[in-house]
Amino acid sequence: MTRSHDCAYIEGLQEQRLALDLTENPALHDQLALAGFRRVENWAYKPVCHSCQACTPIRIVCDQHRAGKNLSRIYKSNQDLTRHISSRQVTDEHYILFQEYLLQRHEDGHMAAMSFQEFTNMIHNSPIETALVEYRDVSGELVACIMIDHQSDGLSAVYSFFDPAAASRSLGTFMILDMIELTKEMGKPYLYLGYYVAQSRKMSYKGRFSPSEIFRNGQWEALTITSEL
């Protein structure tokens, strides 16, 4: 159990986590993911805050997903980008893009001062199958990346970053839409998005992708307008 610290999503609240080291038993990861845990490096964790249950695990039911007009427009407008699933090799190009993204979007976050080695550890310290998905424009310029975990029932979107100068492309949304397509191509049912927090502007966007399921009271159930509120 971690010590309490300031919540990253809801101002004025404290967060505490239950964490498990996966190093010696990575096969536990998929079972824990089904129970609402997330992975960071070699740890699986979930919030266990006494006064708040706002962080709700969420996954998209990919084979039933139907993008609305706005999401379809975003997906189509980025079809000039090329997707490449790389190995765990991390380059200066990835790190520079990562720093540019944090500088513009999360300058005050705990990741802002992350060194190249710490950035590399995000991928290299994974005890399960993890990949970095790159997106390049027609000139070959790297514009976006998303780190994904492979699970028995689908993919898990761990972390994404993109060129802040290309804000009009809505690259964060596009990458989720493309991961839905990749999950379907793999014949798997779910794309896990981590925690949905309806009260947080940083996390409530995950409710845009439907149909989705949330993990509550020990089981996965459909996300509805009522449960979102």
Side-chain angles (χ1 to χ4, degrees):
M1 190 81 72
T2 67
R3 294 181 180 181
S4 297
H5 57 275
D6 290 341
C7 177
Y9 307 123
I10 303 178
E11 187 175 354
L13 295 184
Q14 291 285 301
E15 178 185 358
Q16 194 169 18
R17 295 178 176 182
L18 177 65
L20 174 70
D21 189 346
L22 295 170
T23 306
E24 299 300 325
N25 199 347
L28 281 176
H29 175 270
D30 284 12
Q31 298 175 46
L32 292 168
L34 283 172
F37 281 73
R38 288 289 281 171
R39 183 193 67 80
V40 56
E41 296 190 14
N42 58 313
W43 292 90
Y45 73 91
K46 70 182 303 182
V48 285
C49 309
H50 298 294
S51 60
C52 178
Q53 288 80 44
C55 292
T56 309
I58 185 170
R59 66 186 185 184
I60 302 169
V61 185
C62 294
D63 60 354
Q64 298 178 31
H65 179 261
R66 298 292 182 272
K69 187 176 296 184
N70 185 49
L71 292 180
S72 294
R73 178 190 59 77
I74 292 171
Y75 189 71
K76 290 177 181 177
S77 67
N78 285 288
Q79 290 307 293
D80 59 316
L81 300 180
T82 302
R83 179 216 296 162
H84 173 66
I85 303 176
S86 72
S87 63
R88 297 192 185 191
Q89 182 178 0
V90 179
T91 67
D92 289 341
E93 187 181 28
H94 296 134
Y95 182 59
I96 290 170
L97 182 64
F98 174 73
Q99 286 190 310
E100 290 175 350
Y101 171 77
L102 290 180
L103 184 63
Q104 295 295 323
R105 295 298 186 99
H106 303 286
E107 186 179 7
D108 57 345
H110 70 279
M111 300 174 72
M114 189 175 286
S115 67
F116 179 79
Q117 186 59 54
E118 290 170 327
F119 172 68
T120 301
N121 289 343
M122 288 176 61
I123 301 174
H124 286 190
N125 285 359
S126 171
I128 63 172
E129 184 180 357
T130 298
L132 192 63
V133 183
E134 302 176 349
Y135 294 89
R136 296 182 182 273
D137 61 20
V138 292
S139 67
E141 190 76 18
L142 181 68
V143 297
C145 290
I146 183 168
M147 182 166 52
I148 57 170
D149 284 345
H150 289 267
Q151 298 180 187
S152 58
D153 62 349
L155 296 175
S156 177
V158 179
Y159 193 80
S160 64
F161 52 96
F162 52 84
D163 182 359
S168 61
R169 282 183 175 269
S170 298
L171 288 168
T173 298
F174 166 70
M175 284 189 282
I176 293 176
L177 293 170
D178 198 51
M179 288 302 97
I180 293 173
E181 294 304 311
L182 180 59
T183 305
K184 291 194 288 187
E185 291 171 16
M186 297 171 62
K188 300 294 182 70
Y190 303 115
L191 174 64
Y192 289 76
L193 293 183
Y195 294 109
Y196 168 72
V197 186
Q199 302 95 318
S200 168
R201 294 181 64 182
K202 293 180 181 179
M203 306 292 276
S204 60
Y205 74 91
K206 298 176 183 181
R208 299 175 64 193
F209 306 93
S210 62
S212 293
E213 296 177 344
I214 55 174
F215 187 78
R216 187 164 56 181
N217 299 324
Q219 63 183 5
W220 290 94
E221 61 182 54
L223 173 63
T224 64
I225 296 299
T226 300
S227 62
E228 179 179 342
L229 293 176

